[in-house]
Amino acid sequence: MSLIIAALIVTSFGAIGGIFNAIIIDKGFITGGLRVDNGQRIWSLGYTRNILCGAFAAFVSWGLYGPMNSADLFKENAAQLTLATLCGAALVGFSGASWLTTQADKNVWKKTAIEATQVQPSPEAAAQMATQTPQEALRTVREQLV
């Protein structure tokens, strides 16, 4: 079996796992699309996100630990690029982006909490902030200061 066919089979089964994940999550099988929130256009993938993440995770796992992980993909180059090397890079890119985003959000949430102590309690603002991104929540708190 060729490397490409094997990769397609593995990613397909990962996508199937993503479908099952989308079915059982607490928010349900949510469809994506374009929506407008506070004047901002937001494109949401919905259940497609679960399918893509399942396919990605399966491919990376197979590339790192499967039987073809040490296959040299570009034999004519002086540098050896194996499947495990490329999958490791994809995993680090995915995880690193998530980690850096989380760190940035943590700083924004900290600013939000500090500024929230300076405003009068507002059940409406609290309900609104419960579904907002960190930046939107900070903006909501700052609007309460006015």
Side-chain angles (χ1 to χ4, degrees):
M1 179 180 314
S2 77
L3 183 67
I4 293 174
I5 298 297
L8 288 173
I9 291 170
V10 167
T11 55
S12 297
F13 274 82
I16 291 169
I19 291 170
F20 283 109
N21 178 265
I23 291 169
I24 65 168
I25 60 172
D26 60 344
K27 293 183 180 178
F29 206 68
I30 300 170
T31 58
L34 190 61
R35 63 183 169 89
V36 177
D37 189 12
N38 290 335
Q40 292 181 326
R41 295 174 51 182
I42 300 169
W43 182 52
S44 172
L45 292 174
Y47 66 86
T48 306
R49 177 183 62 186
N50 297 67
I51 295 169
L52 292 173
C53 285
F56 175 76
F59 177 77
V60 167
S61 175
W62 174 74
L64 289 172
Y65 306 112
M68 299 297 292
N69 69 346
S70 61
D72 189 0
L73 300 178
F74 303 101
K75 292 180 180 159
E76 58 273 350
N77 292 339
Q80 183 181 16
L81 280 176
T82 65
L83 183 58
T85 302
L86 296 180
C87 286
L91 181 60
V92 167
F94 180 79
S95 303
S98 177
W99 178 71
L100 292 173
T101 301
T102 299
Q103 289 303 111
D105 286 349
K106 186 171 90 173
N107 292 336
V108 175
W109 280 122
K110 184 176 179 180
K111 288 178 188 174
T112 302
I114 291 168
E115 292 190 24
T117 63
Q118 302 171 17
V119 300
Q120 293 293 322
S122 168
E124 296 84 17
Q128 186 180 3
M129 290 171 58
T131 60
Q132 291 179 325
T133 66
Q135 291 79 11
E136 292 168 340
L138 181 59
R139 190 175 328 115
T140 299
V141 168
R142 288 182 174 164
E143 289 170 359
Q144 298 296 312
L145 289 170
V146 177

